[in-house]
Amino acid sequence: MSLIGHVLLPLHPSTSKNSSQKASNYPHFPKFSLPILAPKPILFTNLLSLALTVTLSSPLPSLAIPSPNSLSASPLLPPTTPFSQSKNLATGLEDGKIRPCPSTNPSCISTNPKTSQFAFPLTIPGDSTENAIQKLQEAILKTQGNAKIQVIENTPNGQYLQAEVDGGFGRDVLEFLVKGDVVAYRSMATKVTYVYPFTTAFGDSKGQEERMKKIIDQLGWYTFSLTEE
C-alpha cells in the first residue's frame, strides 16, 4: 500500500463550504450586507404635474397693447408725399420776406432768390411811389378774373397785399410786398395736378408770368428781364 495518497492534501478548499465558514477564517473583518433597492416606477401623472408647474411658473412675454386714449393723443405725422405737401401751401411773409415757391408746385414764380422759379422784383417809377399799394390793388382787380383782395397790412418790412384770382385749375394766390420803390411778389397756383402713377406735378410757370405781365403793363411799372434786348 502506497503512502502518497495519505500524505497529499487538496490544494483548494471544497466549493461546498458556505460563506460563514470563509468569514470565520478572518475574524477581524466585520460582517455587513447591502440592501437591494427595487426601482420605483415614475407615473405619467407625476410627469404631467411637473410640466404644468414649470410652465405656469415661467415668466410670460409681455405684450404692449396701446390703449385707445394713447392712440388719440399721439401727434399726427407730418405730410410725407408730394401730393399731401401740395395740400398745405403756406402763404404770408416768412421772416419778413416773400416766400419761395414750394418744390412741389411748378405753377409758381417768386422773387425770393431761394426758389428755382425765380422772377426779378418790380421797380416803381419815382413819380408813382405814392399810394403804390392802392394802385397795385386796382391793377389786380382790372386785369384778373374774379379777383378778391384778402389782406392789406402794414408790416415792419413794408406793405403786404394778398389776393385770390381765377387760375387754370382753380384759384391762384398773388402776394406782394411793397417797400419804397421795390415790389417783391409771388404768384402761385393753389391746386397742383398729379396724374397716377407719376409723383411729379404737371404745370409750368408760363401762366403766372403772363398774369404778372398784364399787371405790370397796367401799372406802368417795370422789371429787369434777361430776355430784353
Side-chain angles (χ1 to χ4, degrees), residues 3-228:
L3 297 176
I4 297 175
H6 299 279
V7 175
L8 295 177
L9 296 175
L11 297 177
H12 301 286
S14 175
T15 56
S16 63
K17 295 181 179 180
N18 54 32
S19 59
S20 61
Q21 292 176 343
K22 292 182 181 180
S24 61
N25 296 330
Y26 306 94
H28 55 279
F29 287 101
K31 296 181 180 181
F32 63 92
S33 62
L34 295 176
I36 300 175
L37 301 177
K40 296 182 178 181
I42 300 176
L43 299 179
F44 176 76
T45 56
N46 295 337
L47 292 177
L48 181 59
S49 61
L50 178 62
L52 291 175
T53 303
V54 173
T55 303
L56 294 176
S57 61
S58 300
L60 296 176
S62 59
L63 300 177
I65 302 176
S67 63
N69 294 334
S70 63
L71 292 176
S72 60
S74 59
L76 297 177
L77 296 177
T80 56
T81 64
F83 179 77
S84 58
Q85 291 177 11
S86 66
K87 294 294 184 180
N88 297 276
L89 299 176
T91 59
L93 300 179
E94 184 179 46
D95 298 330
K97 299 178 181 180
I98 289 292
R99 295 175 180 268
C101 290
S103 59
T104 57
N105 193 335
S107 299
C108 175
I109 55 175
S110 173
T111 57
N112 191 306
K114 294 182 180 180
T115 187
S116 59
Q117 299 105 302
F118 175 75
F120 288 99
L122 307 181
T123 301
I124 305 175
D127 57 350
S128 300
T129 55
E130 186 177 357
N131 297 325
I133 199 74
Q134 181 66 29
K135 295 176 181 178
L136 180 59
Q137 177 180 350
E138 294 174 357
I140 293 172
L141 295 175
K142 287 181 179 180
T143 61
Q144 304 302 310
N146 197 20
K148 294 183 179 179
I149 306 300
Q150 301 292 339
V151 178
I152 296 180
E153 63 179 355
N154 294 322
T155 72
N157 301 281
Q159 290 182 297
Y160 174 75
L161 184 149
Q162 181 184 125
E164 284 189 5
V165 299
D166 285 342
F169 297 97
R171 300 288 283 174
D172 290 3
V173 174
L174 304 178
E175 296 176 284
F176 298 89
L177 182 63
V178 180
K179 186 176 183 179
D181 61 347
V182 178
V183 182
Y185 66 89
R186 183 174 73 165
S187 180
M188 177 182 65
T190 59
K191 184 176 181 180
V192 182
T193 304
Y194 290 86
V195 177
Y196 182 83
F198 301 103
T199 58
T200 301
F202 284 86
D204 55 48
S205 59
K206 296 297 183 182
Q208 307 300 333
E209 293 174 356
E210 294 175 359
R211 169 181 289 115
M212 287 306 304
K213 187 178 184 305
K214 292 179 180 180
I215 295 175
I216 295 170
D217 292 343
Q218 178 68 29
L219 289 167
W221 300 351
Y222 60 91
T223 180
F224 178 77
S225 175
L226 297 176
T227 60
E228 291 181 356

